[in-house]
Coordinates of all heavy atoms in Angstrom, one line a residue:
M1 N 34.6 24.7 -117.3 CA 35.1 25.5 -118.4 C 35.4 24.7 -119.6 O 35.9 23.5 -119.5 CB 36.4 26.3 -118.0 CG 36.3 27.7 -117.4 SD 37.9 28.5 -117.5 CE 37.9 29.2 -115.8
S2 N 35.0 25.2 -120.8 CA 35.3 24.5 -122.0 C 36.8 24.7 -122.3 O 37.5 25.6 -121.8 CB 34.5 25.0 -123.2 OG 34.8 26.3 -123.5
G3 N 37.3 23.9 -123.3 CA 38.6 24.1 -123.8 C 38.9 25.4 -124.3 O 40.0 25.9 -124.1
N4 N 38.0 25.9 -125.1 CA 38.3 27.3 -125.6 C 38.3 28.4 -124.6 O 39.0 29.3 -124.6 CB 37.2 27.6 -126.7 CG 37.4 26.7 -127.9 OD1 38.5 26.3 -128.2 ND2 36.3 26.5 -128.6
T5 N 37.5 28.2 -123.5 CA 37.4 29.2 -122.4 C 38.7 29.1 -121.6 O 39.3 30.1 -121.2 CB 36.2 28.9 -121.4 OG1 35.0 28.8 -122.2 CG2 36.1 29.9 -120.4
D6 N 39.2 27.9 -121.4 CA 40.4 27.8 -120.8 C 41.6 28.4 -121.6 O 42.5 29.1 -121.0 CB 40.9 26.2 -120.5 CG 40.0 25.6 -119.4 OD1 39.8 26.4 -118.3 OD2 39.7 24.5 -119.5
K7 N 41.6 28.1 -122.9 CA 42.6 28.8 -123.8 C 42.5 30.3 -123.7 O 43.6 31.0 -123.6 CB 42.5 28.3 -125.2 CG 43.0 26.9 -125.4 CD 43.0 26.4 -126.8 CE 44.0 27.2 -127.6 NZ 44.3 26.6 -128.9
A8 N 41.4 30.9 -123.8 CA 41.2 32.3 -123.8 C 41.7 32.9 -122.4 O 42.4 33.9 -122.4 CB 39.7 32.8 -124.0
A9 N 41.4 32.2 -121.3 CA 41.8 32.7 -120.0 C 43.3 32.6 -119.9 O 44.0 33.5 -119.4 CB 41.2 31.8 -118.9
G10 N 43.8 31.5 -120.5 CA 45.3 31.3 -120.5 C 46.0 32.4 -121.3 O 47.0 32.9 -120.8
I11 N 45.5 32.7 -122.4 CA 46.1 33.8 -123.2 C 46.1 35.2 -122.5 O 47.1 35.9 -122.5 CB 45.4 33.9 -124.5 CG1 45.7 32.7 -125.4 CG2 45.8 35.2 -125.3 CD1 44.8 32.6 -126.7
A12 N 45.0 35.4 -121.8 CA 44.8 36.6 -121.0 C 45.8 36.7 -119.8 O 46.4 37.7 -119.6 CB 43.4 36.8 -120.5
N13 N 45.9 35.6 -119.1 CA 47.0 35.5 -118.0 C 48.3 35.6 -118.5 O 49.2 36.3 -117.8 CB 46.7 34.2 -117.2 CG 45.8 34.3 -116.1 OD1 45.7 35.4 -115.4 ND2 44.9 33.4 -115.8
E14 N 48.6 35.0 -119.6 CA 49.9 35.1 -120.2 C 50.3 36.5 -120.5 O 51.4 37.0 -120.2 CB 50.1 34.2 -121.4 CG 51.4 34.0 -121.9 CD 51.4 33.0 -123.0 OE1 50.5 33.1 -123.9 OE2 52.3 32.1 -123.2
A15 N 49.3 37.2 -121.2 CA 49.6 38.6 -121.6 C 49.7 39.5 -120.4 O 50.6 40.3 -120.2 CB 48.5 39.1 -122.5
A16 N 48.8 39.3 -119.4 CA 48.9 40.1 -118.2 C 50.2 39.9 -117.4 O 50.9 40.9 -116.9 CB 47.7 39.9 -117.3
G17 N 50.6 38.7 -117.4 CA 51.9 38.3 -116.7 C 53.1 39.0 -117.4 O 54.1 39.5 -116.7
K18 N 53.1 39.0 -118.7 CA 54.2 39.7 -119.5 C 54.2 41.2 -119.1 O 55.2 41.9 -119.0 CB 54.1 39.5 -120.9 CG 54.3 38.1 -121.3 CD 54.2 37.8 -122.9 CE 54.6 36.4 -123.2 NZ 54.5 36.1 -124.6
V19 N 53.0 41.8 -119.1 CA 52.9 43.2 -118.9 C 53.4 43.5 -117.5 O 54.2 44.5 -117.1 CB 51.4 43.8 -118.9 CG1 51.3 45.2 -118.4 CG2 51.0 43.7 -120.5
K20 N 53.0 42.6 -116.5 CA 53.4 42.8 -115.1 C 54.9 42.8 -115.0 O 55.6 43.5 -114.2 CB 52.7 41.8 -114.2 CG 52.7 42.1 -112.7 CD 52.1 41.0 -111.9 CE 50.5 41.4 -111.9 NZ 49.8 40.4 -111.0
Q21 N 55.5 41.8 -115.8 CA 56.9 41.6 -115.6 C 57.7 42.8 -116.2 O 58.6 43.4 -115.6 CB 57.4 40.4 -116.5 CG 57.1 39.1 -115.9 CD 57.6 38.0 -116.7 OE1 58.8 37.7 -116.8 NE2 56.6 37.3 -117.3
G22 N 57.1 43.5 -117.3 CA 57.7 44.6 -117.9 C 57.6 45.9 -117.0 O 58.5 46.6 -116.8
V23 N 56.4 46.0 -116.3 CA 56.2 47.1 -115.3 C 57.2 47.0 -114.2 O 57.8 47.8 -113.7 CB 54.8 47.2 -114.9 CG1 54.7 48.2 -113.7 CG2 53.9 47.6 -116.1
G24 N 57.3 45.7 -113.7 CA 58.2 45.4 -112.6 C 59.6 45.8 -112.9 O 60.3 46.3 -112.1
K25 N 60.0 45.4 -114.1 CA 61.4 45.7 -114.6 C 61.5 47.3 -114.7 O 62.6 47.7 -114.2 CB 61.7 45.0 -115.9 CG 63.1 45.1 -116.4 CD 63.3 44.4 -117.6 CE 64.8 44.4 -118.0 NZ 65.1 43.5 -119.1
A26 N 60.5 47.9 -115.2 CA 60.6 49.4 -115.4 C 60.8 50.1 -114.0 O 61.5 51.1 -113.9 CB 59.5 49.9 -116.1
V27 N 60.1 49.7 -113.1 CA 60.1 50.3 -111.7 C 61.1 49.7 -110.7 O 61.2 50.2 -109.7 CB 58.7 50.4 -111.1 CG1 57.7 51.2 -112.0 CG2 58.1 49.1 -110.8
G28 N 61.8 48.6 -111.2 CA 62.8 48.1 -110.4 C 62.2 47.1 -109.2 O 62.7 47.0 -108.2
S29 N 61.0 46.5 -109.5 CA 60.3 45.6 -108.6 C 60.5 44.2 -108.9 O 59.9 43.7 -109.8 CB 58.9 46.0 -108.4 OG 58.2 45.1 -107.6
D30 N 61.4 43.6 -108.1 CA 61.6 42.1 -108.3 C 60.3 41.3 -107.9 O 60.0 40.3 -108.7 CB 62.8 41.6 -107.3 CG 64.1 42.2 -107.9 OD1 64.3 42.6 -109.1 OD2 65.1 42.2 -107.1
K31 N 59.6 41.8 -106.9 CA 58.4 41.1 -106.5 C 57.4 41.1 -107.8 O 56.8 40.2 -108.0 CB 57.7 41.8 -105.3 CG 56.4 41.1 -104.9 CD 55.9 41.9 -103.6 CE 54.5 41.2 -103.3 NZ 53.8 42.0 -102.3
M32 N 57.2 42.4 -108.3 CA 56.2 42.4 -109.4 C 56.7 41.5 -110.7 O 55.9 40.9 -111.3 CB 56.1 43.8 -109.9 CG 54.9 44.1 -110.9 SD 54.6 45.7 -111.3 CE 53.5 46.2 -110.0
Q33 N 58.0 41.6 -110.9 CA 58.5 40.7 -112.0 C 58.3 39.2 -111.7 O 57.8 38.5 -112.6 CB 60.0 40.9 -112.1 CG 60.4 42.2 -112.8 CD 62.0 42.4 -112.9 OE1 62.7 41.7 -112.2 NE2 62.4 43.3 -113.9
S34 N 58.4 38.8 -110.5 CA 58.3 37.4 -110.1 C 56.7 37.0 -110.1 O 56.3 36.0 -110.7 CB 58.8 37.0 -108.8 OG 58.2 37.6 -107.8
E35 N 55.9 38.0 -109.7 CA 54.4 37.7 -109.8 C 54.1 37.7 -111.2 O 53.2 36.8 -111.6 CB 53.7 38.9 -109.2 CG 53.8 38.9 -107.6 CD 53.1 40.1 -107.1 OE1 52.6 41.0 -107.8 OE2 53.1 40.2 -105.8
G36 N 54.6 38.4 -112.2 CA 54.3 38.4 -113.6 C 54.7 37.1 -114.2 O 54.0 36.5 -115.0
A37 N 55.9 36.6 -113.8 CA 56.4 35.3 -114.3 C 55.5 34.2 -113.8 O 55.2 33.3 -114.8 CB 57.8 35.1 -113.8
G38 N 55.0 34.3 -112.7 CA 54.0 33.2 -112.2 C 52.8 33.2 -112.9 O 52.2 32.3 -113.3
Q39 N 52.2 34.5 -113.2 CA 51.0 34.6 -113.9 C 51.1 34.2 -115.4 O 50.2 33.5 -115.9 CB 50.5 36.1 -113.8 CG 49.1 36.3 -114.4 CD 48.6 37.6 -114.1 OE1 49.3 38.5 -113.5 NE2 47.3 37.8 -114.5
E40 N 52.3 34.4 -115.9 CA 52.6 33.9 -117.3 C 52.6 32.4 -117.4 O 52.1 31.8 -118.3 CB 53.8 34.5 -117.8 CG 54.1 34.3 -119.3 CD 55.4 34.8 -119.8 OE1 56.0 35.6 -119.1 OE2 55.7 34.5 -121.0
A41 N 53.2 31.8 -116.3 CA 53.3 30.3 -116.3 C 51.9 29.8 -116.1 O 51.5 28.8 -116.7 CB 54.2 29.9 -115.1
K42 N 51.0 30.4 -115.3 CA 49.7 30.0 -115.1 C 49.0 30.1 -116.4 O 48.2 29.1 -116.7 CB 49.0 30.9 -114.1 CG 47.5 30.5 -113.8 CD 46.9 31.5 -112.8 CE 45.4 31.2 -112.7 NZ 44.7 32.2 -111.8
G43 N 49.1 31.1 -117.1 CA 48.5 31.2 -118.5 C 49.0 30.1 -119.4 O 48.1 29.5 -120.2
D44 N 50.2 29.8 -119.4 CA 50.7 28.6 -120.3 C 50.0 27.4 -119.9 O 49.6 26.6 -120.7 CB 52.2 28.5 -120.1 CG 53.0 29.6 -120.8 OD1 52.5 30.3 -121.7 OD2 54.2 29.8 -120.3
A45 N 49.8 27.1 -118.6 CA 49.2 25.9 -118.1 C 47.8 25.8 -118.6 O 47.2 24.8 -118.9 CB 49.4 25.8 -116.6
Q46 N 47.1 27.0 -118.4 CA 45.6 27.1 -118.8 C 45.5 26.8 -120.3 O 44.6 26.1 -120.7 CB 45.1 28.4 -118.5 CG 44.8 28.7 -117.0 CD 44.4 30.0 -116.8 OE1 44.9 31.0 -117.1 NE2 43.2 30.2 -116.1
K47 N 46.5 27.4 -121.1 CA 46.4 27.0 -122.5 C 46.5 25.6 -122.8 O 45.8 25.0 -123.7 CB 47.3 27.8 -123.3 CG 47.1 29.4 -123.4 CD 47.9 30.2 -124.2 CE 49.3 29.7 -124.7 NZ 50.1 30.6 -125.3
L48 N 47.5 24.9 -122.2 CA 47.7 23.5 -122.3 C 46.5 22.7 -121.9 O 46.0 21.7 -122.6 CB 48.9 23.1 -121.6 CG 50.3 23.5 -122.1 CD1 51.3 23.1 -121.1 CD2 50.5 22.9 -123.5
K49 N 45.8 23.1 -120.8 CA 44.6 22.5 -120.3 C 43.5 22.6 -121.3 O 42.8 21.7 -121.6 CB 44.2 23.1 -118.9 CG 42.9 22.5 -118.4 CD 42.6 23.2 -117.1 CE 41.3 22.7 -116.5 NZ 41.0 23.5 -115.3
G50 N 43.3 23.8 -121.9 CA 42.4 24.0 -123.0 C 42.6 23.1 -124.2 O 41.7 22.5 -124.8
D51 N 43.9 23.0 -124.6 CA 44.3 22.1 -125.8 C 43.9 20.7 -125.4 O 43.4 20.0 -126.3 CB 45.8 22.3 -126.1 CG 46.1 23.7 -126.7 OD1 45.2 24.3 -127.3 OD2 47.3 24.0 -126.7
A52 N 44.3 20.3 -124.2 CA 43.9 18.9 -123.9 C 42.4 18.6 -123.8 O 42.0 17.6 -124.4 CB 44.5 18.6 -122.5
K53 N 41.6 19.5 -123.3 CA 40.2 19.3 -123.3 C 39.7 19.2 -124.7 O 38.8 18.4 -125.0 CB 39.5 20.5 -122.6 CG 39.5 20.4 -121.0 CD 38.7 21.5 -120.5 CE 38.6 21.5 -119.0 NZ 37.9 22.6 -118.5
N54 N 40.2 20.1 -125.6 CA 39.7 20.1 -127.0 C 40.1 18.8 -127.7 O 39.3 18.2 -128.5 CB 40.2 21.3 -127.7 CG 39.5 22.5 -127.4 OD1 38.4 22.6 -126.8 ND2 40.2 23.7 -127.7
A55 N 41.3 18.3 -127.4 CA 41.7 17.1 -128.0 C 40.9 15.9 -127.5 O 40.5 15.1 -128.4 CB 43.2 16.8 -127.7
I56 N 40.6 15.9 -126.3 CA 39.7 14.8 -125.7 C 38.3 14.8 -126.3 O 37.7 13.9 -126.8 CB 39.6 14.9 -124.2 CG1 41.0 14.5 -123.6 CG2 38.5 13.9 -123.6 CD1 41.2 14.8 -122.1
K57 N 37.8 16.1 -126.4 CA 36.5 16.2 -126.9 C 36.4 15.8 -128.5 O 35.5 15.1 -128.9 CB 36.1 17.7 -127.0 CG 34.6 18.0 -127.4 CD 34.3 19.5 -127.2 CE 32.9 19.8 -127.8 NZ 32.7 21.2 -127.7
D58 N 37.5 16.2 -129.2 CA 37.6 15.7 -130.6 C 37.6 14.2 -130.8 O 37.0 13.6 -131.6 CB 38.7 16.4 -131.3 CG 38.6 17.9 -131.5 OD1 37.4 18.4 -131.4 OD2 39.6 18.5 -131.8
G59 N 38.4 13.7 -129.9 CA 38.5 12.2 -129.8 C 37.2 11.5 -129.6 O 36.8 10.5 -130.2
V60 N 36.5 11.9 -128.6 CA 35.2 11.4 -128.2 C 34.2 11.6 -129.4 O 33.4 10.6 -129.7 CB 34.7 12.0 -126.9 CG1 33.2 11.7 -126.6 CG2 35.5 11.7 -125.8
N61 N 34.2 12.8 -129.9 CA 33.3 13.0 -131.1 C 33.6 12.0 -132.2 O 32.6 11.5 -132.9 CB 33.4 14.4 -131.5 CG 32.6 15.4 -130.6 OD1 31.8 15.0 -129.8 ND2 33.1 16.6 -130.6
K62 N 34.9 11.8 -132.5 CA 35.2 10.8 -133.6 C 34.8 9.4 -133.3 O 34.2 8.7 -134.2 CB 36.8 10.9 -133.8 CG 37.2 12.1 -134.6 CD 38.7 12.1 -134.8 CE 39.1 13.4 -135.4 NZ 40.6 13.4 -135.6
V63 N 35.0 9.0 -132.1 CA 34.5 7.6 -131.7 C 32.9 7.6 -131.8 O 32.4 6.6 -132.2 CB 35.0 7.3 -130.2 CG1 34.3 6.0 -129.7 CG2 36.4 7.2 -130.2
A64 N 32.2 8.6 -131.3 CA 30.8 8.7 -131.5 C 30.3 8.6 -132.8 O 29.4 7.9 -133.2 CB 30.2 9.8 -130.7
D65 N 31.0 9.3 -133.7 CA 30.6 9.4 -135.1 C 30.8 8.0 -135.7 O 30.0 7.5 -136.6 CB 31.5 10.4 -135.9 CG 31.0 11.9 -135.6 OD1 29.9 12.1 -135.0 OD2 31.8 12.8 -135.9
A66 N 31.9 7.4 -135.5 CA 32.2 6.0 -135.9 C 31.2 5.0 -135.5 O 30.7 4.2 -136.2 CB 33.6 5.5 -135.6
A67 N 30.8 5.1 -134.3 CA 29.8 4.2 -133.6 C 28.4 4.5 -134.3 O 27.7 3.6 -134.6 CB 29.7 4.4 -132.2
N68 N 28.1 5.7 -134.6 CA 26.8 6.0 -135.2 C 26.8 5.4 -136.7 O 25.7 5.1 -137.1 CB 26.5 7.5 -135.1 CG 26.1 8.0 -133.8 OD1 25.6 7.1 -133.0 ND2 26.4 9.2 -133.5
K69 N 27.9 5.5 -137.4 CA 27.9 5.1 -138.7 C 27.6 3.5 -138.8 O 27.2 3.0 -139.7 CB 29.3 5.4 -139.4 CG 29.4 6.9 -139.7 CD 30.7 7.3 -140.3 CE 30.7 8.7 -140.6 NZ 32.1 9.2 -141.1
K70 N 28.2 2.9 -137.7 CA 28.0 1.4 -137.7 C 26.6 0.9 -137.4 O 26.1 -0.1 -137.7 CB 29.0 0.7 -136.7 CG 30.4 0.9 -137.1 CD 31.3 0.2 -136.1 CE 32.8 0.3 -136.6 NZ 33.6 -0.3 -135.7
L71 N 25.8 1.8 -136.9 CA 24.4 1.6 -136.5 C 23.6 1.7 -137.8 O 22.9 1.4 -138.4 CB 23.9 2.5 -135.5 CG 24.6 2.5 -134.1 CD1 23.9 3.5 -133.3 CD2 24.3 1.1 -133.5

């Protein structure tokens, strides 16, 4: 997955987790609330992974650009 794909998946998981927590709270389901919290945390991690991939890619591109300019 690319960094942007990871970020998009993370945003979707984060949103779904928040919805699941809200539904769990509305119906009184502790299990659904905890599942939602877990899914939201997974989304946060995916977003961070995407940011890290993008940062690494940007760094590699800068090094490659600098090397090409010296040639």
Side-chain angles (χ1 to χ4, degrees):
M1 270 194 221
S2 73
N4 291 335
T5 304
D6 285 324
K7 284 185 73 167
I11 290 168
N13 268 321
E14 191 175 41
K18 286 180 182 182
V19 169
K20 195 178 279 187
Q21 287 180 72
V23 171
K25 187 173 184 176
V27 299
S29 172
D30 291 337
K31 180 182 177 189
M32 188 176 278
Q33 284 181 342
S34 66
E35 287 174 359
Q39 190 169 1
E40 186 177 355
K42 177 182 175 182
D44 287 338
Q46 283 176 309
K47 285 185 347 185
L48 288 172
K49 180 180 175 183
D51 287 339
K53 281 184 177 181
N54 286 338
I56 291 168
K57 182 179 176 182
D58 290 344
V60 168
N61 287 338
K62 286 180 183 177
V63 169
D65 288 344
N68 285 333
K69 286 180 183 176
K70 290 182 180 182
L71 296 176

